[in-house]
Amino acid sequence: MLAAAMLIILGSSAVLCLYRIGRGPTTPDRMVGIDILGVLVVGFASVACILSGRDFVINIALAWALLSFVGTLALAKHLEGKGFDE
Amino acid sequence: MSSWLGTVLWLVGAAFDLVGCIGLVRLPDVYNRLQAGTKCVTLGTCLILLGTALLADCPACSAKAAMCLLFVLVTAPTAAHALARGAKVSGVPLWEGSVVDEWDATVDRGGERS
Amino acid sequence: MKNRITLFAVCLLVWLLLVWPFGKGSAGAPDVLAGVVAAAVTVAVMREISTERADRWLNPVRWFWAAVYLVVLAYYIVRANLDVAYRVLHPAMPIRPGIVRVRTRLKGAGARTLLANSITLTPGTLSVEVTADGEILVHWINVTVTGIERVTERIVGRFEWFISRIAG
């Protein structure tokens, strides 16, 4: 019951994020979607750790938090380097 | 007791995540979307991680969830700041309903980086 | 030297919290030894990069104010989220966004970073740019006042006092 509720709420959040990533309209909009989706996945992995009963899954949350942060910084740097007019 | 509290924290955190993502879809420009996304999803994920720390039955998992919470709390605003500046520097305009824009192009680009 | 010892201790502490070699099933001593090696390598590599004085981390008064500040910040974060949730879920979306300029008296990269991050997490504000002469450009979702003095009072005033005691 709890598992189903968490899965539905977090899953629909992720779908909304994916809508923003797919729809745009500008490149920074997509990057914001990717950044938010990364933070969502961290929460989802920690939920999966408890629900599946496997302790190592929490490591995925840690690694994802680190990599998603570095990736977002790289995207933002890339954004500063190039003009907006495609 | 702690399992009850952890479950409540999970559900409240997931609800904040959902509100943040609704904001991400509804709000009109990049900066407003960043506001809703960063604030609500950061708090939501932090609450979920806190709930995980309470629900986990091994101390190692609790410690890792707590470290992850601190990390998300520090990095999420930094990432939002970098994205907002990237969007502004690359020239994304504000929503036409915005009331004021005190950004000017002569902002010292060699300034403090954070 | 004091800097390097502090940095080493912080690295080792983070390693121990992440690896947690205290339980029954874990490896124990080899994990701790690996942590000592990793922290030593980190300190050796970071020596060139780290310029801020690390021994400020040892001052208990700063830690006390940091703990108080965490509680204050938690209050503002919860308020910020209820505020954003109200604006997002309201059918008409009552927002008046804009980018405003605020000024801070804080010196030092650490203090300014902490202030910028606090601004991002609190009601309706998101820091966009920190300039070299102590001005922060803030995106504000609901602009209610104008003029740099009054905006500064409104956005920065509630944090500056604490941060000058934590990282000043």
Side-chain angles (χ1 to χ4, degrees):
Chain A
M1 184 60 207
L2 174 67
M6 293 299 285
L7 205 64
I8 289 170
I9 301 176
L10 290 179
S12 40
S13 307
V15 168
L16 292 173
C17 266
L18 286 174
Y19 170 81
R20 180 50 67 206
I21 295 173
R23 184 73 198 284
T26 67
T27 314
D29 278 307
R30 298 175 208 273
M31 291 182 179
V32 172
I34 292 168
D35 177 40
I36 301 299
L37 189 62
V39 182
L40 274 179
V41 169
V42 173
F44 187 82
S46 84
V47 169
C49 169
I50 301 295
L51 292 182
S52 70
R54 293 179 198 170
D55 293 346
F56 71 89
V57 177
I58 193 77
N59 295 327
I60 297 175
L62 269 172
W64 203 292
L66 284 160
L67 288 178
S68 147
F69 175 57
V70 175
T72 303
L73 285 191
L75 287 177
K77 272 278 167 258
H78 170 72
L79 210 56
E80 280 183 42
K82 89 180 213 291
F84 177 57
D85 44 349
E86 296 304 311
Chain B
M1 173 58 198
S2 85
S3 78
W4 183 82
L5 188 61
T7 307
V8 171
L9 284 174
W10 266 18
L11 289 173
V12 174
F16 272 121
D17 274 3
L18 187 59
V19 170
C21 288
I22 292 173
L24 195 62
V25 170
R26 273 198 84 192
L27 288 169
D29 73 2
V30 188
Y31 310 99
N32 291 310
R33 284 171 195 152
L34 260 177
Q35 293 246 10
T38 308
K39 283 197 219 335
C40 288
V41 175
T42 303
L43 181 71
T45 302
C46 283
L47 289 179
I48 290 177
L49 285 168
L50 194 60
T52 302
L54 290 176
L55 288 171
D57 47 6
C58 64
C61 292
S62 295
K64 283 177 187 173
M67 289 298 289
C68 204
L69 192 162
L70 278 180
F71 193 77
V72 168
L73 198 62
V74 172
T75 59
T78 312
H81 167 66
L83 277 176
R85 191 175 60 200
K88 196 65 192 160
V89 167
S90 74
V92 179
L94 268 72
W95 178 49
E96 59 267 29
S98 303
V99 289
V100 57
D101 183 4
E102 292 179 2
W103 173 284
D104 52 30
T106 61
V107 168
D108 180 12
R109 290 288 307 282
E112 198 110 10
R113 292 291 144 117
S114 52
Chain C
M1 196 60 208
K2 207 174 171 186
N3 276 359
R4 273 181 244 171
I5 292 171
T6 314
L7 191 59
F8 179 80
V10 170
C11 289
L12 190 57
L13 184 69
V14 171
W15 174 279
L16 290 179
L17 282 174
L18 286 180
V19 174
W20 204 263
F22 308 119
K24 293 181 207 75
S26 52
D31 273 350
V32 178
L33 196 65
V36 171
V37 172
V41 170
T42 309
V43 172
V45 174
M46 287 290 288
R47 193 183 55 201
E48 309 278 319
I49 302 167
S50 169
T51 53
E52 293 227 7
R53 286 160 43 233
D55 55 307
R56 293 192 305 181
W57 285 83
L58 297 177
N59 188 341
V61 179
R62 291 179 192 277
W63 281 100
F64 169 75
W65 285 114
V68 175
Y69 183 64
L70 210 58
V71 175
V72 175
L73 196 61
Y75 164 72
Y76 281 119
I77 289 174
V78 171
R79 231 184 69 183
N81 277 276
L82 296 176
D83 180 67
V84 170
Y86 164 73
R87 287 180 203 287
V88 166
L89 296 177
H90 195 288
M93 281 199 296
I95 56 175
R96 275 167 59 82
I99 290 184
V100 294
R101 198 178 269 275
V102 300
R103 195 178 289 131
T104 175
R105 284 178 277 112
L106 296 170
K107 305 270 186 283
R112 283 183 184 168
T113 308
L114 186 57
L115 179 67
N117 280 3
S118 303
I119 287 174
T120 299
L121 283 172
T122 50
T125 52
L126 171 78
S127 48
V128 177
E129 170 77 291
V130 183
T131 63
D133 49 356
E135 287 187 342
I136 303 177
L137 283 147
V138 176
H139 182 265
W140 196 0
I141 203 169
N142 190 33
V143 178
T144 51
V145 296
T146 50
I148 186 164
E149 301 300 331
R150 288 166 67 198
V151 174
T152 302
E153 172 83 10
R154 218 25 214 285
I155 294 178
V156 179
R158 53 195 174 205
F159 300 126
E160 220 166 30
W161 187 84
F162 281 110
I163 292 175
S164 67
R165 268 157 189 75
I166 296 167

